[in-house]
Amino acid sequence: MPQDTDVLSELDLEDPPQELVAWAKKHLNEDPDTRLKVLDDFRNMIYNRGECVPHRTDDAFLLRFLRARYFQLERSHRLLVNYYNFKENNPEFVEDVNLKHLQRIGDDDIITVPPYREQNGRRILLYRIGIWDPKKFTITELFQATLVILELAILEQRAQILGGVCMFDLEGLSLQKSWHLTPSVASKIVQIMVTSFPMKIEAIHIVNQSWVFDMVFNVFRPFLDERMRKRLFFHGDDWESLHQHIDPKHLPERYGGVHPDYNHKDWMNYFFRTDKIIQEMESMGYKHDENEDETNSEK
């Protein structure tokens, strides 16, 4: 499997290297010789069934859903329908969202993506829920930021193929904050991570959990199937346990790793100067008007 240890606040928007193509053929049933036919069959299935009206049906877009479901047409179609149903049922997560405005969440390090990959070539999405201030950022804004990050991440073909890893740092999670994590919120989180977004979450690591987490996890438990439970790992503050899954060479210092906390603004600067990314996000209705963000920050 490919490895990438570079620290670089940029997405890899190129075609996957040959070794990754070979990995996809072995593990995702993606055969370069039959890919175009499968895409045509998938596109015809979408048109014929009419269960959703995608804003795009080009190969690059549809390929995300096929890869996420191992090139199985029925499952890929269900994922595509779920993707659009989720957005339709939760319009507040995707409508009138200003990308620059959400940058404030990154300023507080609540949700971050380190500018490097773990040893298997996967990105790490890190949530520090314990430092979240519900008076400053609503649950809706956290969902908005999560969806934006995932939409950006899935632009990388290597992410489509390899999937990603999530870490939840619960240090500082109070009883008061846990009240915001209702069954409705839990259901939506699971939908994003499991049933309604074309990104395979290969593992979820929970660190620094306290007794409050037991109550929170009881809210989530009914929504987790056996397959998802097998991808959940609980470490507390035992970094040796975490390092059995993620090499410390690919972790921040606070988790026994070697990396400092890199400034997320390097990511943002890259996003807003890359035409392809701006076009992709605008095609989904996202805005990045700097003047509006400045107006919001002055309120």
Side-chain angles (χ1 to χ4, degrees), residues 68 141 167-168 174 230 237:
E141 288 177 306
M167 280 185 60
F168 287 87
S174 65
K230 289 181 179 179
D237 59 0

Side-chain angles (χ1 to χ4, degrees), residues 154-171:
I154 207 65
L155 295 179
E156 288 191 309
Q157 292 199 54
R158 66 172 63 216
Q160 298 170 21
I161 293 170
L162 295 173
V165 174
C166 280
M167 280 185 60
F168 287 87
D169 184 344
L170 304 184
E171 183 176 10

